């Protein structure tokens, strides 16, 4: 039965599936905010940490988030990485800096991209601010924030943000 | 074996959820926990079932952890299977003696993708998927063979649909329900001959949660304890041409291992998403022709894939707990044409 | 534990970037048949199969075990499919072990696998759902920031990761199944390899491999009769926690610490560093060895890197770690956890060949997954517990 010369080693079967994702109630508020250059998180009640972006629950207590809270578009880099690996669905030019940014007023960090900063100057604790796309480009998408950029504010110490790394 | 009882159950079903998985799972978890009479943190083991392909996202179950109470860290496992198999794993965990209680959850969102196309990716990737037969077509092939072999008619199938939809009227979680005239159903066009729309499941979004406990705890928490007397699951070969599609040997074997035939059965909840599959399963499980099947309306009236098997077990539990029967068979299935089957025997005290 | 469980057969495939010489069923059978051969058994002797792998999207087949059922001897048997992210290889084995512990089955076959070359795993990991922007490429992009945080808090020297990678890459040369083997590997080669996700260099990262690993488990009396000495299961543990919340320590996660503590308690281990002879742990990026040494209680907080520096984790150190070459040398994602268990079990069976640790009688297998959220662990012993 074996016919090495004619053996098929691989075949290509293109697979395409389309999904209509559901953002969910809390994330919808967040996405609608982005259309207006606002970052809207959510929390489960007064005093509870603000989740940004909100996925629906406070993971620590598993309570539904019920309250929308706007947070600042300024924040602190709690950690980062310089990315030098290409990937089909990533639009940034290599190398670029991926940051986990803790926005002022938020209880958890959010992943985004840092630009306008030399690679060797990126550091934990640096202050950054969102750079929004032009008004006609705003959409219910995190891409409405084009990138984050450094701002002229003193660094925050690691101990202050250690909780969030 | 340790005696294990179902302590509580909760479910949600909707044609298409506007909430995300965390948002619709969390309230169902709370409801089941509240009904159990236990605190979430006192439940020792957690096991879930779901599917990445259904959600259209790898690691879909990871996000769900936000909604189930995973802090402080929990003893937890996940099967890429229907929640009924998560129940099996949790039942095994209690059998080891390491834990006395467990919460099982499953969730499914069938609305984001074209379900019949998504599940076609379960077929042989080298020789069958290239043709991309959708799930309803594959079920149609099985139905045609079954009608030929059994002498049953399309009318018999329509009667199953009408009965299921009628019974579903009493089930607040069923999505397709009401009084339907068999003649009118038979006048509808085919979807995948010999199957019409009413022969195929109403796919839904939803979540299912169950709490189980070892004997002593279950007794303490239940007015009328409902015991898992037997639970077993088996699988048949995948290739559609290899096995006799008009039978379900794995269901038959699982039923025998679970002890279905050892005593009288009052009713059955069968995960039969297509009408003809109810008939195949009745035969495989050795159920009497007049036995009441799917008083809930079954998976035909609302099928939240990856939750609907656990729903059948939960529906049977609720009926027995309410005193509506003493001994029931519940069943879950996976794969095309009833390839993999789990059978569970429940008994009220 | 009511019923004892022993590992009586272990089988691995050769790990490689693209095993296009075999189909998916062929790959699984290669591991399964080797495990059965080791146990001198056949598929007919197995009561149930427990299978694990990472996301189905990595191969583009939904619930592939349904399609694979007959190829792995599961026809007419119970077949369970576990998926707990990267820890899945470990948790799959744990679930299989629980079937023996519970007294439900006498012999169970467990298999974990991945054939990433069938699809595009990087794509699977970086899927871009709407509303969001893909900013991290693959797992490295996710874990690199955690490594930065570890360096910041521990003050570990920058070359800690390079030293770990060098050790594992040298160990891999002793392992016939390892995927990535670089015969003349040295410190400079790793230090000079391209920086991918700062601070992770190319040679500090795991490859992407095709492969499968299988184990045959048996209850006590059958394990005693096995042709080769069994590896006895002394303890198993699993823990999970959510991905992100204020106060979560993703560098040294509570779930991992809890699982380790539970594991040692079950196994009656007071001092893990002294009592465990060697450990095979999940290190996809070199720095994670130092981090997990702390999480697993082998080192005090912020001191894990010293074990690397002192050579404690080398093959001739006091706690050899990743004798097989580890995930850094072979990473068939869904199988990686079980490969760790298999190596730990091989060590107490004296089967590890050139990477055998002399006199290994008690070993640890470890796996983790998600955003350092899922942990599964196992202690194996040469003696019964």
């Amino acid at each position: 039965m074996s016919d090495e010369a004619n053996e098929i080693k691989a075949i290509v079967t293109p697979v395409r599936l389309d999904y209509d994702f559901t953002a969910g109630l809390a994330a919808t508020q967040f996405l609608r905010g982005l259309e207006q250059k606002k970052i809207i998180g959510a929390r489960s009640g007064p005093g509870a940490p603000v989740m940004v972006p909100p996925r629906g629950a406070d993971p620590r207590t598993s309570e539904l988030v019920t309250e929308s809270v706007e947070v600042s578009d300024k924040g602190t880099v709690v950690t980062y990485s310089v990315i030098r690996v290409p990937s089909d669905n990533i639009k940034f030019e290599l190398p670029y800096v991926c940051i986990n940014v803790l926005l002022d007023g938020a209880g958890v960090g959010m992943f985004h991209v840092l630009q306008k900063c030399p690679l060797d100057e990126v550091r934990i604790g640096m202050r950054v601010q969102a750079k929004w796309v032009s008004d006609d480009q705003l959409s219910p998408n995190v891409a409405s924030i084009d990138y984050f950029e450094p701002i002229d504010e003193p660094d925050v110490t690691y101990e202050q943000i250690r909780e969030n790394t | 074996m340790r005696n294990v009882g179902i302590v509580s159950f909760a479910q949600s079903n909707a044609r298409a959820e506007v909430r995300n998985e965390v948002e619709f799972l969390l309230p169902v978890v709370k409801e089941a926990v509240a009904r159990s009479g236990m605190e979430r943190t006192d439940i020792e083991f957690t096991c879930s079932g779901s599917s990445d392909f259904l959600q259209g996202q790898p690691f879909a179950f990871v996000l769900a952890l936000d909604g189930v109470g995973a802090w402080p860290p929990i003893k937890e496992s996940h099967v890429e299977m229907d929640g009924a198999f998560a129940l099996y794993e949790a039942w095994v965990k209690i059998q080891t003696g390491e834990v006395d209680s467990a919460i099982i959850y499953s969730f499914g969102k069938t609305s984001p993708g074209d379900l019949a196309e998504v599940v076609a990716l379960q077929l042989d990737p080298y020789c069958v998927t290239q043709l991309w037969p959708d799930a309803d077509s594959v079920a149609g092939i099985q139905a045609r063979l079954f009608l030929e072999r059994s002498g049953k008619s399309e009318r018999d199938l329509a009667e199953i649909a009408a009965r299921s939809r009628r019974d579903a009227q009493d089930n607040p979680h069923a999505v397709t329900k009401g009084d339907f005239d068999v003649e009118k159903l038979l006048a509808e066009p085919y979807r995948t001959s010999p199957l019409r729309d009413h022969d195929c499941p109403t796919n839904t979004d939803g979540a299912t949660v169950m709490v189980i406990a070892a004997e002593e705890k279950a007794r303490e928490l239940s007015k009328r304890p409902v015991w898992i007397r037997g639970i077993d699951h088996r699988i048949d070969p995948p290739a559609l041409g290899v096995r006799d599609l008009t039978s379900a040997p794995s269901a038959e074997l699982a039923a025998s291992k679970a002890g279905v035939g050892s005593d009288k059965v009052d009713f059955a909840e069968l995960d039969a998403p297509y009408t003809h599959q109810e008939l195949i399963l009745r035969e495989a499980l050795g159920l009497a022709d007049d036995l009441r099947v799917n008083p809930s309306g079954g998976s035909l009236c609302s099928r939240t894939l990856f939750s609907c098997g656990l729903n059948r077990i939960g529906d049977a539990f609720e009926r027995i707990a309410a005193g509506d029967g003493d001994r029931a068979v519940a069943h879950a299935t996976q794969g095309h044409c009833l390839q993999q089957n789990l059978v569970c025997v429940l008994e009220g005290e | 534990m009511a019923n004892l469980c022993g590992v009586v057969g272990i089988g691995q495939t050769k790990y490689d970037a693209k095993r296009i010489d075999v189909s998916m069923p062929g790959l699984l059978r290669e591991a399964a048949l080797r495990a059965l051969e080791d146990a001198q058994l056949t598929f007919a002797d197995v009561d149930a199969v427990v299978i694990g792998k990472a996301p189905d999207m990595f191969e583009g087949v939904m619930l592939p075990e349904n399609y694979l059922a007959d190829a792995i001897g599961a026809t007419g048997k119970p077949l369970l499919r576990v998926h707990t992210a990267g820890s899945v290889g470990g948790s799959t084995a744990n679930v299989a072990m629980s079937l023996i512990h519970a007294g439900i089955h006498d012999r169970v076959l467990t298999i974990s696998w991945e054939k990433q070359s069938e699809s595009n795993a990087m794509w699977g990991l970086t899927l871009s759902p709407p509303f969001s922007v893909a900013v991290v490429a693959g797992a490295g992009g996710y874990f690199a920031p955690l490594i930065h945080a570890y360096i910041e808090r521990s003050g570990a020297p920058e070359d800690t990761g390079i030293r770990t990678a060098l050790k594992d890459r040298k160990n891999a040369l002793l392992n016939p199944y390892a995927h990535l083997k670089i015969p003349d590997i040295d410190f400079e080669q790793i230090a000079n390899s391209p920086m991918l996700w700062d601070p992770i260099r190319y040679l500090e990262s795991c490859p992407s491999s095709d492969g499968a690993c299988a184990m045959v488990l048996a209850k006590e009396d059958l394990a005693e009769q096995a042709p080769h000495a069994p590896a006895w299961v002394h303890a198993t543990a699993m823990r999970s926690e959510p991905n992100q919340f204020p106060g979560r320590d993703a560098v040294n996660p509570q779930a991992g610490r809890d699982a380790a503590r539970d594991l040692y308690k079950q196994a009656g281990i007071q001092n893990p560093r002294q009592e465990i002879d060697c450990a095979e742990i999940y290190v996809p990026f070199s720095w994670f060895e130092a981090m997990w040494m702390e999480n697993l209680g082998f080192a005090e907080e912020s001191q894990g890197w010293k074990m690397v520096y002192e050579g404690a984790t080398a093959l001739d150190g006091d706690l050899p770690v990743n004798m097989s070459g580890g995930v850094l040398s072979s990473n068939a994602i869904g199988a990686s956890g079980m490969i760790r268990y298999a190596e730990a079990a091989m060590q107490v069976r004296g089967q590890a060949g050139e990477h055998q640790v002399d006199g290994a009688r008690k070993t640890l297998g470890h796996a983790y997954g998600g955003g350092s959220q899922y942990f599964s662990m196992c202690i194996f012993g040469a003696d019964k517990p």
Side-chain angles (χ1 to χ4, degrees), chain A residues 26-42 51-54 68-74 103-104 110 130-133 135 138-145 148:
Chain A
T28 296
Q29 300 289 319
F30 170 73
L31 295 167
R32 288 294 172 214
L34 293 171
E35 287 180 305
Q36 304 159 46
K37 294 194 196 176
K38 287 180 181 170
I39 302 176
I40 298 174
M51 312 302 299
V52 188
S68 293
V69 181
E70 186 177 348
V71 300
S72 171
D73 70 350
K74 286 186 189 177
L103 298 171
D104 297 346
M110 168 173 125
K131 171 77 178 154
W132 296 86
V133 297
D135 285 2
L138 287 168
S139 68
N141 191 311
V142 185
S144 287
I145 300 173
F148 280 80

Short mmCIF file of all heavy atoms in Angstrom, two decimals, chain A residues 26-42 51-54 68-74 103-104 110 130-133 135 138-145 148:
data_model
loop_
_atom_site.label_atom_id
_atom_site.label_comp_id
_atom_site.label_asym_id
_atom_site.label_seq_id
_atom_site.Cartn_x
_atom_site.Cartn_y
_atom_site.Cartn_z
N ALA A 26 -21.45 45.86 30.07
CA ALA A 26 -20.45 46.77 30.64
C ALA A 26 -19.49 47.25 29.56
O ALA A 26 -19.16 48.43 29.48
CB ALA A 26 -19.69 46.07 31.76
N ALA A 27 -19.04 46.34 28.72
CA ALA A 27 -18.08 46.72 27.68
C ALA A 27 -18.73 47.66 26.67
O ALA A 27 -18.04 48.48 26.04
CB ALA A 27 -17.54 45.48 26.99
N THR A 28 -20.04 47.56 26.49
CA THR A 28 -20.72 48.47 25.56
C THR A 28 -20.57 49.92 26.04
O THR A 28 -20.28 50.82 25.23
CB THR A 28 -22.21 48.09 25.44
OG1 THR A 28 -22.28 46.79 24.85
CG2 THR A 28 -22.96 49.09 24.56
N GLN A 29 -20.73 50.14 27.34
CA GLN A 29 -20.55 51.49 27.89
C GLN A 29 -19.13 51.99 27.61
O GLN A 29 -18.93 53.13 27.21
CB GLN A 29 -20.75 51.48 29.42
CG GLN A 29 -22.13 51.03 29.86
CD GLN A 29 -23.19 52.07 29.54
OE1 GLN A 29 -22.95 53.26 29.72
NE2 GLN A 29 -24.32 51.62 29.04
N PHE A 30 -18.18 51.10 27.83
CA PHE A 30 -16.77 51.44 27.60
C PHE A 30 -16.53 51.83 26.14
O PHE A 30 -15.91 52.84 25.83
CB PHE A 30 -15.92 50.22 28.00
CG PHE A 30 -14.47 50.29 27.62
CD1 PHE A 30 -13.60 51.14 28.28
CD2 PHE A 30 -13.97 49.48 26.60
CE1 PHE A 30 -12.25 51.19 27.93
CE2 PHE A 30 -12.63 49.53 26.25
CZ PHE A 30 -11.77 50.39 26.91
N LEU A 31 -17.09 51.02 25.22
CA LEU A 31 -16.86 51.26 23.79
C LEU A 31 -17.57 52.54 23.33
O LEU A 31 -17.03 53.29 22.51
CB LEU A 31 -17.34 50.05 22.99
CG LEU A 31 -16.55 48.77 23.26
CD1 LEU A 31 -17.26 47.55 22.69
CD2 LEU A 31 -15.14 48.87 22.69
N ARG A 32 -18.77 52.77 23.86
CA ARG A 32 -19.49 54.00 23.51
C ARG A 32 -18.70 55.22 23.99
O ARG A 32 -18.66 56.26 23.33
CB ARG A 32 -20.89 54.01 24.12
CG ARG A 32 -21.85 53.03 23.46
CD ARG A 32 -22.15 53.44 22.03
NE ARG A 32 -22.92 52.43 21.32
CZ ARG A 32 -22.79 52.16 20.02
NH1 ARG A 32 -21.90 52.81 19.29
NH2 ARG A 32 -23.53 51.24 19.45
N GLY A 33 -18.06 55.08 25.14
CA GLY A 33 -17.24 56.17 25.67
C GLY A 33 -16.09 56.51 24.73
O GLY A 33 -15.80 57.68 24.49
N LEU A 34 -15.47 55.49 24.17
CA LEU A 34 -14.31 55.72 23.30
C LEU A 34 -14.68 56.58 22.09
O LEU A 34 -13.87 57.35 21.59
CB LEU A 34 -13.74 54.38 22.83
CG LEU A 34 -13.10 53.51 23.92
CD1 LEU A 34 -12.77 52.13 23.38
CD2 LEU A 34 -11.84 54.17 24.49
N GLU A 35 -15.93 56.45 21.65
CA GLU A 35 -16.38 57.26 20.52
C GLU A 35 -16.36 58.74 20.87
O GLU A 35 -16.38 59.58 19.99
CB GLU A 35 -17.82 56.88 20.14
CG GLU A 35 -17.93 55.55 19.44
CD GLU A 35 -19.38 55.23 19.09
OE1 GLU A 35 -20.23 55.24 20.00
OE2 GLU A 35 -19.64 54.96 17.91
N GLN A 36 -16.40 59.02 22.20
CA GLN A 36 -16.40 60.43 22.64
C GLN A 36 -15.12 60.75 23.40
O GLN A 36 -15.11 61.64 24.26
CB GLN A 36 -17.60 60.68 23.55
CG GLN A 36 -18.93 60.33 22.93
CD GLN A 36 -19.99 60.11 24.00
OE1 GLN A 36 -20.13 60.90 24.93
NE2 GLN A 36 -20.74 59.03 23.86
N LYS A 37 -14.05 60.06 23.12
CA LYS A 37 -12.75 60.28 23.76
C LYS A 37 -12.84 60.17 25.29
O LYS A 37 -12.20 60.93 26.00
CB LYS A 37 -12.18 61.65 23.38
CG LYS A 37 -11.83 61.79 21.92
CD LYS A 37 -10.97 63.03 21.75
CE LYS A 37 -10.91 63.47 20.31
NZ LYS A 37 -10.17 64.72 20.15
N LYS A 38 -13.71 59.29 25.76
CA LYS A 38 -13.82 59.07 27.20
C LYS A 38 -13.47 57.61 27.50
O LYS A 38 -13.78 56.73 26.71
CB LYS A 38 -15.26 59.32 27.66
CG LYS A 38 -15.65 60.77 27.69
CD LYS A 38 -17.10 60.88 28.16
CE LYS A 38 -17.51 62.35 28.17
NZ LYS A 38 -18.96 62.47 28.38
N ILE A 39 -12.85 57.40 28.65
CA ILE A 39 -12.55 56.02 29.06
C ILE A 39 -13.46 55.70 30.24
O ILE A 39 -13.33 56.28 31.32
CB ILE A 39 -11.06 55.85 29.42
CG1 ILE A 39 -10.20 56.24 28.19
CG2 ILE A 39 -10.79 54.42 29.85
CD1 ILE A 39 -8.71 56.21 28.44
N ILE A 40 -14.42 54.85 29.98
CA ILE A 40 -15.44 54.56 30.98
C ILE A 40 -15.28 53.13 31.50
O ILE A 40 -15.46 52.15 30.77
CB ILE A 40 -16.85 54.77 30.40
CG1 ILE A 40 -17.01 56.25 29.99
CG2 ILE A 40 -17.93 54.39 31.42
CD1 ILE A 40 -18.29 56.58 29.27
N GLY A 41 -14.91 53.02 32.76
CA GLY A 41 -14.80 51.72 33.41
C GLY A 41 -16.08 51.42 34.17
O GLY A 41 -17.08 52.12 34.04
N ALA A 42 -16.03 50.36 34.95
CA ALA A 42 -17.21 50.00 35.73
C ALA A 42 -16.79 49.35 37.02
O ALA A 42 -15.72 48.73 37.10
CB ALA A 42 -18.10 49.07 34.93
N MET A 51 -12.93 48.63 37.00
CA MET A 51 -12.35 47.72 36.01
C MET A 51 -12.33 48.42 34.64
O MET A 51 -13.35 48.92 34.19
CB MET A 51 -13.18 46.44 35.90
CG MET A 51 -13.55 45.77 37.23
SD MET A 51 -12.14 45.32 38.24
CE MET A 51 -11.31 44.19 37.14
N VAL A 52 -11.15 48.44 34.02
CA VAL A 52 -11.02 49.06 32.70
C VAL A 52 -10.14 48.17 31.82
O VAL A 52 -8.99 47.95 32.18
CB VAL A 52 -10.34 50.45 32.77
CG1 VAL A 52 -10.40 51.11 31.40
CG2 VAL A 52 -10.98 51.33 33.82
N PRO A 53 -10.57 47.67 30.69
CA PRO A 53 -11.97 47.67 30.27
C PRO A 53 -12.77 46.69 31.11
O PRO A 53 -12.22 45.67 31.55
CB PRO A 53 -11.90 47.22 28.81
CG PRO A 53 -10.53 46.66 28.60
CD PRO A 53 -9.68 47.03 29.74
N PRO A 54 -14.04 46.95 31.30
CA PRO A 54 -14.84 46.07 32.15
C PRO A 54 -15.30 44.83 31.38
O PRO A 54 -15.69 44.93 30.23
CB PRO A 54 -16.04 46.94 32.53
CG PRO A 54 -16.17 47.93 31.42
CD PRO A 54 -14.81 48.09 30.78
N SER A 68 -21.11 52.78 36.10
CA SER A 68 -20.09 53.27 35.16
C SER A 68 -19.31 54.40 35.80
O SER A 68 -19.89 55.25 36.47
CB SER A 68 -20.77 53.79 33.89
OG SER A 68 -21.35 52.71 33.20
N VAL A 69 -18.00 54.39 35.61
CA VAL A 69 -17.14 55.42 36.19
C VAL A 69 -16.14 55.86 35.14
O VAL A 69 -15.43 55.03 34.57
CB VAL A 69 -16.37 54.88 37.42
CG1 VAL A 69 -15.50 55.99 38.02
CG2 VAL A 69 -17.32 54.32 38.46
N GLU A 70 -16.10 57.15 34.87
CA GLU A 70 -15.10 57.63 33.90
C GLU A 70 -13.75 57.75 34.60
O GLU A 70 -13.66 58.25 35.72
CB GLU A 70 -15.53 58.99 33.33
CG GLU A 70 -14.57 59.43 32.22
CD GLU A 70 -14.96 60.74 31.54
OE1 GLU A 70 -16.10 61.21 31.75
OE2 GLU A 70 -14.11 61.27 30.81
N VAL A 71 -12.71 57.28 33.95
CA VAL A 71 -11.36 57.42 34.50
C VAL A 71 -10.56 58.33 33.56
O VAL A 71 -10.99 58.63 32.46
CB VAL A 71 -10.65 56.05 34.66
CG1 VAL A 71 -11.44 55.15 35.61
CG2 VAL A 71 -10.44 55.36 33.32
N SER A 72 -9.38 58.71 34.05
CA SER A 72 -8.54 59.63 33.29
C SER A 72 -7.92 58.94 32.07
O SER A 72 -7.79 57.72 32.05
CB SER A 72 -7.43 60.13 34.21
OG SER A 72 -6.48 60.87 33.47
N ASP A 73 -7.53 59.74 31.07
CA ASP A 73 -6.77 59.12 29.97
C ASP A 73 -5.26 59.24 30.22
O ASP A 73 -4.46 58.95 29.36
CB ASP A 73 -7.20 59.67 28.61
CG ASP A 73 -6.78 61.11 28.37
OD1 ASP A 73 -6.31 61.77 29.34
OD2 ASP A 73 -6.93 61.59 27.23
N LYS A 74 -4.93 59.68 31.45
CA LYS A 74 -3.52 59.66 31.88
C LYS A 74 -3.30 58.47 32.81
O LYS A 74 -4.21 58.10 33.55
CB LYS A 74 -3.19 60.93 32.67
CG LYS A 74 -3.05 62.18 31.86
CD LYS A 74 -2.59 63.28 32.81
CE LYS A 74 -2.63 64.64 32.13
NZ LYS A 74 -2.24 65.70 33.08
N LEU A 103 -4.52 53.46 34.46
CA LEU A 103 -5.07 54.80 34.29
C LEU A 103 -5.45 55.37 35.64
O LEU A 103 -5.88 54.63 36.54
CB LEU A 103 -6.29 54.74 33.36
CG LEU A 103 -5.99 54.24 31.93
CD1 LEU A 103 -7.28 54.01 31.16
CD2 LEU A 103 -5.10 55.24 31.19
N ASP A 104 -5.32 56.67 35.79
CA ASP A 104 -5.66 57.31 37.06
C ASP A 104 -7.16 57.09 37.33
O ASP A 104 -8.00 57.43 36.50
CB ASP A 104 -5.36 58.81 37.00
CG ASP A 104 -3.86 59.06 36.80
OD1 ASP A 104 -3.07 58.10 36.97
OD2 ASP A 104 -3.48 60.19 36.45
N MET A 110 -4.36 48.25 31.85
CA MET A 110 -4.92 47.95 30.54
C MET A 110 -3.75 47.85 29.56
O MET A 110 -2.79 48.62 29.67
CB MET A 110 -5.85 49.11 30.19
CG MET A 110 -6.34 49.19 28.80
SD MET A 110 -7.60 50.53 28.71
CE MET A 110 -6.89 51.48 27.39
N ALA A 130 -3.09 59.08 26.83
CA ALA A 130 -3.63 58.57 25.56
C ALA A 130 -3.52 59.63 24.47
O ALA A 130 -3.78 60.81 24.71
CB ALA A 130 -5.09 58.16 25.75
N LYS A 131 -3.17 59.18 23.29
CA LYS A 131 -3.20 60.04 22.11
C LYS A 131 -4.35 59.50 21.26
O LYS A 131 -4.31 58.36 20.79
CB LYS A 131 -1.85 59.94 21.38
CG LYS A 131 -1.82 60.60 20.04
CD LYS A 131 -1.72 62.11 20.16
CE LYS A 131 -1.64 62.70 18.75
NZ LYS A 131 -2.12 64.06 18.70
N TRP A 132 -5.38 60.30 21.11
CA TRP A 132 -6.58 59.84 20.42
C TRP A 132 -6.43 60.01 18.91
O TRP A 132 -5.71 60.89 18.45
CB TRP A 132 -7.80 60.63 20.92
CG TRP A 132 -8.08 60.41 22.37
CD1 TRP A 132 -7.52 61.08 23.42
CD2 TRP A 132 -8.95 59.42 22.94
NE1 TRP A 132 -8.00 60.58 24.62
CE2 TRP A 132 -8.89 59.56 24.35
CE3 TRP A 132 -9.79 58.45 22.41
CZ2 TRP A 132 -9.62 58.76 25.23
CZ3 TRP A 132 -10.53 57.66 23.28
CH2 TRP A 132 -10.44 57.81 24.67
N VAL A 133 -7.14 59.21 18.18
CA VAL A 133 -7.17 59.39 16.72
C VAL A 133 -7.99 60.66 16.43
O VAL A 133 -8.66 61.19 17.32
CB VAL A 133 -7.80 58.17 16.00
CG1 VAL A 133 -6.96 56.93 16.22
CG2 VAL A 133 -9.23 57.92 16.48
N ASP A 135 -10.99 63.10 15.25
CA ASP A 135 -12.41 62.95 15.56
C ASP A 135 -13.18 62.10 14.54
O ASP A 135 -14.05 61.32 14.90
CB ASP A 135 -13.07 64.33 15.70
CG ASP A 135 -12.67 65.00 17.01
OD1 ASP A 135 -11.86 64.39 17.75
OD2 ASP A 135 -13.16 66.11 17.28
N LEU A 138 -12.89 58.31 15.20
CA LEU A 138 -13.33 57.72 16.46
C LEU A 138 -14.38 56.64 16.21
O LEU A 138 -15.27 56.80 15.37
CB LEU A 138 -13.90 58.80 17.38
CG LEU A 138 -12.88 59.75 18.01
CD1 LEU A 138 -13.60 60.94 18.66
CD2 LEU A 138 -12.00 59.03 19.02
N SER A 139 -14.25 55.52 16.92
CA SER A 139 -15.19 54.42 16.74
C SER A 139 -15.30 53.66 18.06
O SER A 139 -14.48 53.88 18.96
CB SER A 139 -14.68 53.49 15.64
OG SER A 139 -13.51 52.83 16.10
N PRO A 140 -16.28 52.80 18.18
CA PRO A 140 -16.38 52.01 19.43
C PRO A 140 -15.31 50.92 19.46
O PRO A 140 -15.61 49.72 19.36
CB PRO A 140 -17.80 51.44 19.38
CG PRO A 140 -18.13 51.38 17.93
CD PRO A 140 -17.39 52.51 17.27
N ASN A 141 -14.08 51.30 19.55
CA ASN A 141 -12.97 50.36 19.44
C ASN A 141 -11.79 50.93 20.22
O ASN A 141 -11.58 52.14 20.21
CB ASN A 141 -12.61 50.19 17.96
CG ASN A 141 -11.67 49.04 17.74
OD1 ASN A 141 -10.65 48.90 18.42
ND2 ASN A 141 -11.99 48.20 16.78
N VAL A 142 -11.03 50.05 20.86
CA VAL A 142 -9.86 50.51 21.62
C VAL A 142 -8.87 51.21 20.70
O VAL A 142 -8.04 52.00 21.14
CB VAL A 142 -9.20 49.34 22.37
CG1 VAL A 142 -8.07 49.83 23.25
CG2 VAL A 142 -10.22 48.63 23.23
N ALA A 143 -8.98 50.94 19.41
CA ALA A 143 -8.09 51.60 18.45
C ALA A 143 -8.39 53.09 18.33
O ALA A 143 -7.65 53.82 17.68
CB ALA A 143 -8.21 50.92 17.09
N SER A 144 -9.47 53.58 18.97
CA SER A 144 -9.72 55.02 19.02
C SER A 144 -8.59 55.72 19.78
O SER A 144 -8.34 56.90 19.59
CB SER A 144 -11.06 55.33 19.69
OG SER A 144 -12.11 54.99 18.82
N ILE A 145 -7.96 54.97 20.67
CA ILE A 145 -6.72 55.46 21.27
C ILE A 145 -5.60 54.99 20.34
O ILE A 145 -5.37 53.79 20.20
CB ILE A 145 -6.49 54.89 22.69
CG1 ILE A 145 -7.65 55.31 23.61
CG2 ILE A 145 -5.14 55.34 23.25
CD1 ILE A 145 -7.59 54.65 24.99
N PHE A 148 -0.33 55.48 23.47
CA PHE A 148 -0.02 56.31 24.63
C PHE A 148 1.33 56.96 24.39
O PHE A 148 2.17 56.41 23.67
CB PHE A 148 0.00 55.48 25.91
CG PHE A 148 -1.37 55.20 26.46
CD1 PHE A 148 -2.17 54.20 25.93
CD2 PHE A 148 -1.89 55.96 27.50
CE1 PHE A 148 -3.45 53.95 26.41
CE2 PHE A 148 -3.16 55.73 28.00
CZ PHE A 148 -3.95 54.72 27.46
#
